Amino acid sequence: MPSPNETHASDFSEVHVIDIDSDFDADLPIIKIDKQDNTMNGNGTLSSSKPKPVNIPEVVQKARDTFNSGTTKPLEWRKRQLKNLQRMYEECRGEMIDALVKDLRRSKMEAVLLEVDYLVNDLTNLLNKFEEWAKPERPPKGLVNMMDDVVIFNDPYGVVLIIGAWNYPLQLLLLPFAGAIAAGNVVILKPSELAVASAKFIAETLPKYLDNDAFVVVEGGPEETTELLKQKFDYIFYTGGTNVGRIVYAAATKNLTPVTLELGGKSPVFIDNTTDIEITAKRVLWGKFINAGQTCIAPDYVLCSKEVQDKFVECSRKILKEWYGEDAQKSPDLCRIINSRHFGRLQSLLEASKDKVVLGGRYDAQDRFIAPTVLANVTLNDKIMEDEIFGPILPIVPVDNAYEAIKFINDREHPLVLYLFSRQSKIHTLFTEQTRSGSLCVNDTIMFYGVDTLPFGGVGNSGIGAYHGKASFDTFTHKKSCLVRNFAAIGEKLGSGRYPPYTDGKLKFITTLMRKRSGPSFKYLPYVIAFALGAGLSYGIFAWQKMVSEEL
């Protein structure tokens, strides 16, 4: 979600402080901050309380010493830590919900479904399967290696840094954390300072359940994050905005550290005239307005014909009234904007598009409340279309057909997710083949995120890498290839053609062995040969015994 005032990573060679959560101030020089004395609390006001000072280089070195000691390698140790994390979820369920209420005024329904139970279910799946995932893999092998052992070991990377985000402050930090534990890593966690209650919960509670030498929480704001990024890690996992993602990536490249960047962007929705418009409206509005639109995979804007637009608006009017009542501000089911700064950004977007408002549009700065809002007849030149909205405002951009929608989407950065509503399989195929996005979800929103067998991640500006389910384990795992040979005469004979003096005959022999062939795998060939030799030997012994008995 680059803005016109975007600052690039190359401009930060002498930056001392970066603000991890400032991606959305399109009218301000973001990321670069000279001083940060306070952090925001969940009410959007400044809090003078600062985390306990911590020597970050010392923390990272201690973490590396722990990893080098081999503590995290045994599967039984990992399992024990994961079970302790599971126990924390069970015993602290109420505290987790309370923290989300304090930070975002999150309803219990959304807190449980989108964070607490989501974490519980992911961890249960991880516990059930990670030991199988961790086993060495034995891939197929060719004729030249038929007598060898070909293995892929699933090694942990080492010391991992995970930087969370404020919009889902528990889930976006603890879900990748569980994957890193399962993979055998030591982890340093950096929760977002904007979600004050959630950060406090993590910092105070996690050490009571998990190994304090292997897992460390570093609190603080931009200064602490900057200091962390100066250290050498073996893997960095960052969730947040594209602008800061570039900064994290630039810091990682100094040590050639691999990264996963879970970013965002303007995720589009296309609706054609074949859908059930009422069901479509419900699914789009729910995906947009959960967490007050502060969701990286929320529908950002709708593309549809003017005819569909009119039907969608009329359905939305009825649905929003049914969901939130006459006065949405009194509804217990609507979250609030995280702080005053983000509220001000959204307010300016609303003011710039007030002539396009067809539903909602009301706001209350004191309460950080913005009513669920729909804009109609939006154009590319409207300010609302410049950057990711990250709030409860849904613009509709009229297009004539699917081809125009595809061109509109392809003319922009690749979105984190593309939502398509259509009953036509040919339209499904068209969007699948002619667009690029991190994910594609057909005839619904958000729900793909809950399928643990689907890797989640962006492409291009919307991110690098993926996680969820096995993909979380794989993200924090280095696939170490290994070839194991022996000194048997037959193996040496097969490989002897590589030795000098070189001849055409040797070259022909080696190239014949190494040539790729279609057909059955040679994975089990050594066992077949061993069986054949054993059977032949047994037959020979049996025949000899028979011959001897006949002579007697």
Side-chain angles (χ1 to χ4, degrees):
M1 49 201 152
S3 71
N5 298 318
E6 181 180 275
T7 313
H8 294 282
S10 59
D11 299 329
F12 292 92
S13 57
E14 298 182 359
V15 166
H16 301 293
V17 180
I18 64 173
D19 185 351
I20 285 296
D21 290 292
S22 62
D23 258 25
F24 301 104
D25 285 321
D27 298 320
L28 298 173
I30 59 176
I31 310 299
K32 187 174 182 179
I33 298 176
D34 294 321
K35 188 175 182 181
Q36 179 82 12
D37 292 327
N38 301 296
T39 58
M40 294 290 229
N41 68 24
N43 296 318
T45 58
L46 288 172
S47 169
S48 59
S49 61
K50 300 196 74 172
K52 293 180 291 185
V54 59
N55 186 323
I56 288 176
E58 188 177 291
V59 167
V60 176
Q61 183 57 52
K62 184 179 178 183
R64 191 162 300 284
D65 291 343
T66 299
F67 180 76
N68 290 339
S69 73
T71 298
T72 66
K73 294 287 184 71
L75 294 182
E76 190 54 43
W77 183 92
R78 303 183 205 179
K79 190 172 187 177
R80 187 163 61 250
Q81 298 303 311
L82 290 172
K83 284 189 172 181
N84 287 343
L85 184 62
Q86 186 179 52
R87 187 162 58 87
M88 186 188 88
Y89 291 163
E90 293 168 354
E91 295 176 356
C92 302
R93 186 181 182 87
E95 292 97 313
M96 294 169 77
I97 294 171
D98 288 345
L100 295 169
V101 171
K102 290 175 183 176
D103 286 332
L104 292 152
R105 221 203 76 168
R106 184 82 60 76
S107 69
K108 182 179 179 180
M109 179 91 165
E110 290 187 9
V112 171
L113 288 181
L114 304 178
E115 301 225 36
V116 181
D117 270 14
Y118 192 86
L119 286 169
V120 170
N121 291 332
D122 175 80
L123 184 52
T124 300
N125 180 58
L126 203 58
L127 271 165
N128 289 338
K129 298 177 180 177
F130 89 95
E131 290 176 291
E132 184 65 30
W133 298 338
K135 289 179 180 178
E137 303 166 28
R138 285 176 166 75
K141 53 190 176 182
L143 180 62
V144 71
N145 298 118
M146 67 177 181
M147 303 302 293
D148 305 327
D149 201 4
V150 176
V151 190
I152 299 172
F153 292 105
N154 290 299
D155 282 1
Y157 271 105
V159 181
V160 169
L161 171 64
I162 299 178
I163 303 174
W166 56 263
N167 56 325
Y168 290 87
L170 300 180
Q171 184 220 122
L172 295 178
L173 189 75
L174 297 178
L175 193 143
F177 174 53
I181 296 174
N185 297 278
V186 169
V187 186
I188 293 177
L189 292 162
K190 171 60 182 69
S192 169
E193 70 277 12
L194 293 194
V196 175
S198 297
K200 182 180 179 183
F201 166 78
I202 291 167
E204 292 181 354
T205 310
L206 211 62
K208 297 176 183 177
Y209 289 84
L210 300 180
D211 187 319
N212 288 197
D213 291 329
F215 311 118
V216 181
V217 180
V218 174
E219 294 182 90
E223 292 176 356
E224 287 76 12
T225 304
T226 301
E227 186 61 34
L228 280 168
L229 289 174
K230 290 178 182 177
Q231 312 307 312
K232 177 177 172 56
F233 289 94
D234 299 302
Y235 204 97
I236 296 175
F237 189 106
Y238 166 74
T239 301
T242 303
N243 291 329
V244 178
R246 289 191 177 95
I247 306 303
V248 174
Y249 202 8
T253 58
K254 292 179 181 178
N255 293 307
L256 297 180
T257 301
V259 299
T260 291
L261 302 177
E262 294 296 337
L263 308 177
K266 296 183 75 65
S267 295
V269 181
F270 175 70
I271 307 171
D272 74 8
N273 60 3
T274 68
T275 68
D276 182 314
I277 196 65
E278 185 173 351
I279 294 176
T280 296
K282 284 181 178 179
R283 293 176 180 180
V284 172
L285 295 175
W286 177 77
K288 180 63 177 181
F289 297 131
I290 54 171
N291 203 36
Q294 299 167 116
T295 304
C296 63
I297 54 173
D300 192 87
Y301 62 94
V302 172
L303 298 169
C304 62
S305 68
K306 288 199 173 185
E307 178 187 359
V308 172
Q309 173 185 256
D310 294 342
K311 292 178 181 178
F312 183 89
V313 169
E314 284 309 305
C315 278
S316 298
R317 192 185 311 278
K318 181 179 69 173
I319 290 165
L320 292 177
K321 183 178 178 180
E322 179 185 312
W323 286 358
Y324 305 120
E326 292 286 353
D327 185 354
Q329 191 169 1
K330 295 179 181 178
S331 170
D333 300 325
L334 273 173
C335 292
R336 295 300 187 261
I337 306 306
I338 184 68
N339 60 31
S340 299
R341 178 162 57 84
H342 286 277
F343 178 89
R345 175 186 59 81
L346 292 167
Q347 180 185 352
S348 70
L349 291 178
L350 271 177
E351 290 297 325
S353 298
K354 58 186 176 182
D355 59 323
K356 305 290 176 73
V357 174
V358 290
L359 292 174
R362 193 170 67 81
Y363 53 82
D364 181 343
Q366 189 71 24
D367 191 27
R368 288 180 288 115
F369 164 80
I370 295 178
T373 299
V374 178
L375 311 179
N377 297 313
V378 172
T379 68
L380 179 58
N381 297 323
D382 287 318
K383 187 177 180 181
I384 195 80
M385 295 302 293
E386 290 178 358
D387 302 303
E388 184 177 8
I389 298 167
F390 226 69
I393 308 168
L394 180 65
I396 304 176
V397 181
V399 293
D400 290 334
N401 52 52
Y403 297 98
E404 187 179 335
I406 288 172
K407 184 179 187 309
F408 190 96
I409 293 165
N410 288 342
D411 284 345
R412 282 145 193 81
E413 297 289 354
H414 304 313
L416 184 54
V417 57
L418 193 161
Y419 296 112
L420 167 64
F421 286 82
S422 173
R423 282 192 168 107
Q424 303 180 80
S425 58
K426 65 179 181 181
I427 295 295
H428 300 171
T429 302
L430 193 66
F431 274 81
T432 300
E433 294 181 349
Q434 296 192 17
T435 63
R436 286 187 66 200
S437 56
S439 298
L440 173 67
C441 186
V442 179
N443 294 332
D444 210 333
T445 64
I446 306 297
M447 298 302 290
F448 75 97
Y449 191 82
V451 183
D452 60 67
T453 51
L454 290 176
F456 171 75
V459 59
N461 254 39
S462 58
I464 298 172
Y467 70 126
H468 286 191
K470 187 175 186 297
S472 293
F473 178 86
D474 289 341
T475 285
F476 295 104
T477 298
H478 168 62
K479 301 287 186 180
K480 183 169 71 180
S481 302
C482 182
L483 171 66
V484 181
R485 307 204 71 195
N486 57 40
F487 296 101
I490 187 170
E492 178 61 14
K493 183 63 178 176
L494 287 172
S496 62
R498 61 184 163 153
Y499 302 138
Y502 301 134
T503 65
D504 288 344
K506 286 183 177 181
L507 178 61
K508 184 177 180 180
F509 178 68
I510 289 292
T511 54
T512 300
L513 279 178
M514 296 182 68
R515 185 175 300 124
K516 294 299 178 184
R517 298 169 175 82
S518 59
S521 168
F522 289 100
K523 180 178 180 179
Y524 299 107
L525 186 58
Y527 304 104
V528 173
I529 293 173
F531 175 79
L533 289 173
L537 183 60
S538 298
Y539 178 78
I541 293 172
F542 174 77
W544 176 77
Q545 289 176 331
K546 184 178 180 182
M547 182 182 68
V548 169
S549 64
E550 288 176 352
E551 289 177 353
L552 294 176

